[in-house]
Amino acid sequence: MPRPAPYLALAEALRARLLAGEWAIGERLPSRARFAEEYGVGRNVVRRAMDRLIVDGLLEGRAGSGTYVLAPRERLRLVRSRYRERGDGSPLDVGMRERGRADAWDAHSQVRVPAPETIAERLAVTPGELCVTTHYEFLAEGRPVQLSASWEPMAVTRGTPVMLPEKGPLAGKGVVERMRSLGIVVDTVVEVPRPGRANHTQANLLGIGVGDLVLLIERTIYATDGRPVETADIVIPDVRREVVYEFGIGRPVAAESRQPRPHRPRET
């Protein structure tokens, strides 16, 4: 099994000491030179280890002064529920128990983008079919907490006021409401969560380290006729958010009143 990079090993050693309370909140840490001598590593290794702990919210660097201990950041809870989300993947406010709510976001849309093969398969369209793609960066309490790349077939929204998700009369209202304005009723959302590691682009946008743990969610939204109307790739940094899935339990239905359920698209 490969050994972790020296700076990662040092970061974990210092993290354990910080969490054990060896240094008080607000206290200045010893110098990099002292840590380098103590652990038998170069100062560059110490610098990278401290940078990692700064990104994780355990330390704060003050120019010309040194590095200080911060109170550990709380991971924000994100509840994912069929009843509680905007169509772009950011949750609505459901009370104090959920602190992962995005309170600000930036979005950039492009039109006439040919669908790659993987996206085309998820949207049940021909590869190369023109789509609207929108890239989101979400903030919660001033910190980046989520990325999302959304794809919608232009055949669904072309020439309508809701073609661009963040412009027009329903800007920011989400997929469900925008589709409803076109007479399309959404009734199924399929999500496939997978663990992953942040690449350079994701790490830069989220303010985390390359290779840090992230949750990758592949989400597709379907209309009542089984047609996919949107698919998205969502990236959530593990250090910032804990994701909770919430499902409602339907009431039992009497046997004589049960009707055959309509065909649903197969989850992939």
Side-chain angles (χ1 to χ4, degrees):
M1 185 174 181
R3 298 176 60 186
Y7 84 92
L8 291 176
L10 178 56
E12 290 308 307
L14 294 177
R15 186 195 308 275
R17 294 172 68 177
L18 287 164
L19 296 179
E22 184 170 336
W23 299 284
I25 302 299
E27 183 178 350
R28 188 174 70 175
L29 261 62
S31 67
R32 294 178 184 175
R34 177 174 166 181
F35 281 131
E37 181 179 357
E38 180 180 350
Y39 285 93
V41 297
R43 294 190 186 187
N44 187 55
V45 172
V46 177
R47 178 186 61 79
R48 294 188 66 188
M50 286 189 168
D51 286 347
R52 175 63 174 264
L53 296 174
I54 288 172
V55 168
D56 289 350
L58 295 176
L59 298 178
E60 176 187 25
R62 300 178 188 174
S65 179
T67 305
Y68 294 77
V69 181
L70 288 178
R73 288 175 178 171
E74 179 185 358
R75 292 173 75 211
L76 302 177
R77 168 165 288 197
L78 172 63
V79 177
R80 298 188 68 76
S81 165
R82 63 177 295 187
Y83 301 108
R84 294 179 175 173
E85 292 179 4
R86 288 160 35 100
D88 55 24
S90 62
L92 295 170
D93 187 0
V94 296
M96 292 300 293
R97 71 185 184 86
E98 179 186 355
R99 300 187 58 247
R101 183 173 68 91
D103 48 35
W105 61 89
D106 182 49
H108 174 68
S109 294
Q110 291 178 281
V111 299
R112 302 182 61 81
V113 180
E117 186 171 347
T118 54
I119 296 296
E121 182 177 359
R122 284 156 56 176
L123 289 175
V125 299
T126 304
E129 183 163 328
L130 298 181
C131 294
V132 175
T133 180
T134 304
H135 292 270
Y136 293 90
E137 299 174 28
F138 295 100
L139 301 176
E141 301 183 3
R143 290 185 289 158
V145 293
Q146 183 174 308
L147 304 175
S148 180
S150 167
W151 294 76
E152 297 179 1
M154 287 191 67
V156 176
T157 59
R158 182 188 283 111
T160 72
V162 297
M163 184 174 72
L164 299 179
E166 299 299 324
K167 294 187 181 297
L170 296 181
K173 295 297 184 181
V175 176
V176 175
E177 198 164 331
R178 289 172 49 245
M179 293 300 160
R180 185 183 297 122
S181 74
L182 303 178
I184 300 171
V185 178
V186 167
D187 75 339
T188 304
V189 179
V190 175
E191 291 195 344
V192 183
R194 298 186 180 92
R197 298 282 181 177
N199 60 32
H200 282 82
T201 300
Q202 293 164 348
N204 182 57
L205 292 173
L206 292 169
I208 60 177
V210 176
D212 281 4
L213 283 173
V214 293
L215 179 65
L216 306 174
I217 301 176
E218 177 187 302
R219 185 203 63 206
T220 304
I221 297 178
Y222 296 87
T224 51
D225 59 4
R227 172 178 41 158
V229 295
E230 188 258 13
T231 193
D233 290 307
I234 299 168
V235 183
I236 299 173
D238 181 74
V239 71
R240 301 280 171 77
R241 272 180 160 177
E242 63 175 8
V243 179
V244 178
Y245 280 84
E246 183 176 278
F247 302 94
I249 304 298
R251 295 180 179 179
V253 179
E256 61 271 15
S257 64
R258 291 175 184 164
Q259 299 293 329
R261 299 186 64 184
H263 172 71
R264 295 287 189 222
R266 181 175 62 88
E267 296 186 13
T268 56

